[in-house]
Amino acid sequence: MLHSAVSESRLDNHPSATAAACADSHTSADVFNQVLAEIRARREEFDAKRHVPKDMVARLKQIGVYRAATPRCFGGDARSPSDFLRLIETISEADGSAGWVASFGSAAVYLAALPRDTLARLYADGPDIAFAGGLFPIQPAQKADGGWRISGTWKFASGCKGADVLGVGIGTGNGGKPLTAVLRPEAVEIVENWEVIGLRGTGSHDLRIKDAFVADEWTFVRGGTPSIDEPLYRYPSIAYAAQVLAVVNLGVARAALDEVSVMAGGRSGITGAPKMADRAYLRIAVAKAEATLRSARAFFYDATDAAWDSILKGDAVSPEQTSLLRLSAVQAARAGAEAVQTAYLLAGTAAIYDGHPLQRYLRDAMVVTQHAFLGEGMYDGAGSVFLGVPPMPGYI
């Protein structure tokens, strides 16, 4: 099994150590490494365009990103959460924006709440479907015969310019849970307004719709009961949505600390000070950053594997396990950002220039921490569960 092979390799400490462990069964390690090299070579392009282009999304499909969470009954891989998270971590080490866009390959877990006949139509041409959603703010929709009439504007639709289908959040007006309506890109206007400091290549633009009709069978409750009975769709979907974003910072942090290691073996500074590796304070700081990052990473994958093992045994994932997934996700995001900040500070004046890799890592890592799923309130939710009091709504 891939999971056991990964856990026995250096991948536990360094995500890019074994490309074959992240590549799916359809992809060779050579092809996987070629795609990673292309991502590194094009990350400036992604920033300039403010999105990951469709031809790069096609390359991500080639290495199995967008079939990873597609049901096996529709030709997908339905890979374990740990396998997919390691895949995203490795892509994120090459580029945070590409990793963020690739992370939405997990959205097929959400889509599994669509009716089975709708899923058959969605995957009729193959399992490699890229989904992007601008789910908030929830917009009111008008009930129509057999569906809904939808208008409005939605924010933060990461990866929308390369998506095969798009989702938007709608309110039903009857007190029920909001729905996600699924549309083809031609029915949606992309408002290109992603002007940000970090994760520039994610293309997290607004979506705008004017009086579109969406049939009932193309709507679902996000995190709702799946119509597919396979192990992956018993994994807590909202917690998974937080995990696939948090893991981006584990990859970015790995890249940042590796960058400092390369710099440390170089020549002396312009002031004549010893080279970086000969400075005790720098060695201490790097060791502390590695310990913090690896500890958070171990907690992250331990919580993931514990929940998955419960599912494979036929047990439900407990509220306590779901809480640990949420807690480990926010901790991974924060520890990753802290490691990147440490690397930036240790690099000195070299890191202040636009073209230095640590500039990119710093900007990207700090944006990851700002996502609502990874905010400070997640610690409150986890603390509530530890102490036996009700957590905030939606936490579990």
Side-chain angles (χ1 to χ4, degrees):
M1 290 178 62
L2 178 60
H3 170 65
S4 60
V6 169
S7 63
E8 293 169 3
S9 75
R10 284 183 62 226
L11 190 62
D12 278 343
N13 293 324
H14 199 301
S16 64
T18 309
C22 285
D24 71 355
S25 60
H26 311 283
T27 309
S28 70
D30 286 344
V31 171
F32 187 79
N33 280 324
Q34 289 168 11
V35 173
L36 291 180
E38 183 176 347
I39 289 170
R40 291 188 183 96
R42 297 181 62 184
R43 55 192 186 183
E44 294 289 345
E45 174 195 344
F46 304 159
D47 274 15
K49 290 182 174 179
R50 303 281 172 160
H51 68 273
V52 175
K54 279 194 172 183
D55 69 303
M56 191 71 243
V57 172
R59 292 286 273 162
L60 294 175
K61 289 181 179 180
Q62 186 180 0
I63 60 173
V65 167
Y66 293 102
R67 67 173 58 210
T70 299
R72 293 182 185 275
C73 62
F74 294 117
D77 295 337
R79 297 175 69 173
S80 74
S82 184
D83 289 348
F84 184 73
L85 290 165
R86 293 174 194 272
L87 170 65
I88 300 307
E89 183 182 3
T90 305
I91 294 171
S92 300
E93 186 183 351
D95 178 52
S97 289
W100 189 271
V101 170
S103 77
F104 289 91
S106 66
V109 172
Y110 281 161
L111 291 172
L114 285 167
R116 192 181 183 94
D117 288 347
T118 302
L119 290 172
R121 293 165 62 189
L122 180 65
Y123 296 120
D125 295 327
D128 300 295
I129 298 295
F131 173 83
L135 304 181
F136 297 99
I138 300 296
Q139 300 286 1
Q142 299 299 315
K143 192 71 181 89
D145 186 23
W148 301 88
R149 300 223 67 91
I150 298 172
S151 296
T153 300
W154 293 261
K155 301 190 71 64
F156 303 124
S158 299
C160 60
K161 289 184 73 69
D164 300 302
V165 289
L166 297 166
V168 295
I170 60 171
T172 60
N174 59 8
K177 292 183 178 179
L179 298 175
T180 299
V182 179
L183 303 95
R184 295 292 179 181
E186 54 268 24
V188 182
E189 176 190 358
I190 295 174
V191 182
E192 297 193 28
N193 57 357
W194 186 237
E195 300 294 334
V196 292
I197 194 66
L199 293 180
R200 291 173 178 168
T202 62
S204 304
H205 302 296
D206 287 2
L207 302 181
R208 181 180 294 155
I209 297 173
K210 296 181 179 179
D211 195 31
F213 175 79
V214 178
D216 286 323
E217 60 266 27
W218 286 95
T219 67
F220 65 93
V221 175
R222 189 172 66 138
T225 303
S227 61
I228 303 299
D229 186 19
E230 294 181 14
L232 179 58
Y233 310 103
R234 300 175 204 140
Y235 194 83
S237 59
I238 302 299
Y240 197 27
Q243 287 187 287
V244 300
L245 302 179
V247 78
V248 170
N249 259 8
L250 293 181
V252 172
R254 180 72 270 152
L257 290 178
D258 285 354
E259 182 67 26
V260 166
S261 294
V262 171
M263 294 176 67
R267 58 189 177 187
S268 301
I270 61 173
T271 63
K275 66 180 182 180
M276 293 169 66
D278 292 335
R279 305 174 200 175
Y281 77 87
L282 190 139
R283 296 193 297 266
I284 291 169
V286 166
K288 288 181 175 179
E290 287 281 1
T292 298
L293 179 64
R294 293 176 188 231
S295 297
R297 187 174 186 272
F299 175 29
F300 182 81
Y301 284 112
D302 180 70
T304 302
D305 290 339
W308 184 241
D309 287 345
S310 291
I311 291 170
L312 295 182
K313 290 175 183 175
D315 299 329
V317 177
S318 70
E320 291 77 17
Q321 287 177 312
T322 302
S323 180
L324 288 176
L325 295 176
R326 301 299 300 267
L327 177 60
S328 67
V330 68
Q331 186 66 11
R334 301 302 177 91
E338 181 180 334
V340 174
Q341 288 176 300
T342 296
Y344 176 82
L345 291 171
L346 293 176
T349 55
I352 69 175
Y353 290 94
D354 284 342
H356 198 281
L358 283 168
Q359 274 288 327
R360 172 189 303 280
Y361 303 146
L362 182 67
R363 296 193 303 264
D364 288 351
M366 297 313 297
V367 172
V368 172
T369 64
Q370 303 306 97
H371 194 279
F373 281 175
L374 303 172
E376 195 74 10
M378 298 304 107
Y379 289 109
D380 175 55
S384 297
V385 173
F386 282 132
L387 297 177
V389 299
M392 67 186 81
Y395 176 73
I396 299 297

